[in-house]
Amino acid sequence: MEKFLNSMLSITLEMSPYLLLGFLIAGVLNELFKGTALKKYIGGSDTKSVINSSLLGVPLPLCSCGVIPTGVSLHKSGASKGSAISFMISTPQTGVDSILVTYSLLGLPFALLRPVIAFITGVFGGMVTNRLTKDEKNEIHDETSSRQEKKRTLIQRSKDAMKYAFVDFLDDIALWLFIGLILAAAISALI
């Protein structure tokens, strides 16, 4: 039991900064891209939406912990499943730090190839997802129609982004996050 608790604490401390960054980015994206703007670029179940989503993901500095809340948030905001998967596949492969390490250890050709491969795998994963889920419709919970879209100050928009990221969205995925943490700690303790 002590090994399990130590593993759980260690994993929690290790992934917390990245999860917090992911939640923060999800809140900012929720404020920047309301349902209609987001849906225009990555809302469709077509190749163009998947490519746009992968292009959005490649330059973002998110790891696999931070990309999950961001990808789920994109889907909830109107991105198709294929676009969300494309984003979640391409994003964690291309951190600036990992590209620089690749350059220093393997040279320029491999460093340049890395984002290209991230883009291609993201597009492939998104297209497969769209093909497998082509009959499913994405229900957008567009709250912008119920809000009054008067000019909001930067402070109000920041508050709304933080509320979405660390209250509303966290509430939506907290159970699954906790289950994943328990499973990871159990596996770590057993190994």
Side-chain angles (χ1 to χ4, degrees), residues 169-190:
F169 184 63
L170 181 60
D171 188 46
D172 285 347
I173 69 166
L175 175 65
W176 296 109
L177 189 61
F178 187 67
I179 290 170
L181 179 62
I182 288 174
L183 290 174
I187 291 169
S188 179
L190 290 174

Side-chain angles (χ1 to χ4, degrees), residues 73-177:
S73 174
L74 284 174
H75 179 63
K76 286 181 170 233
S77 297
S80 67
K81 285 185 179 180
S83 295
I85 292 296
S86 176
F87 176 84
M88 291 181 0
I89 290 172
S90 62
T91 305
Q93 297 181 51
T94 55
V96 174
D97 56 340
S98 64
I99 292 174
L100 291 175
V101 168
T102 303
Y103 172 71
S104 69
L105 295 176
L106 301 173
L108 184 62
F110 285 102
L112 294 175
L113 193 59
R114 194 170 179 151
V116 172
I117 297 299
F119 172 76
I120 291 169
T121 57
V123 170
F124 178 76
M127 289 172 61
V128 168
T129 301
N130 277 342
R131 183 166 295 256
L132 294 174
T133 62
K134 65 182 173 187
D135 296 332
E136 297 178 23
K137 300 290 183 204
N138 184 18
E139 294 181 24
I140 303 170
H141 303 291
D142 190 8
E143 299 171 5
T144 59
S145 59
S146 63
R147 289 185 197 167
Q148 291 183 350
E149 280 300 320
K150 59 185 177 187
K151 292 280 187 186
R152 293 182 297 146
T153 65
L154 182 60
I155 293 172
Q156 184 57 45
R157 290 185 73 167
S158 299
K159 284 181 184 179
D160 289 347
M162 294 302 118
K163 181 184 180 298
Y164 175 80
F166 298 108
V167 178
D168 301 336
F169 184 63
L170 181 60
D171 188 46
D172 285 347
I173 69 166
L175 175 65
W176 296 109
L177 189 61

Side-chain angles (χ1 to χ4, degrees), residues 23-44:
F23 285 128
L24 179 64
I25 290 174
V28 169
L29 287 176
N30 184 61
E31 275 301 305
L32 290 178
F33 299 111
K34 297 301 180 187
T36 55
L38 182 70
K39 193 158 178 70
K40 177 180 174 184
Y41 296 106
I42 62 175

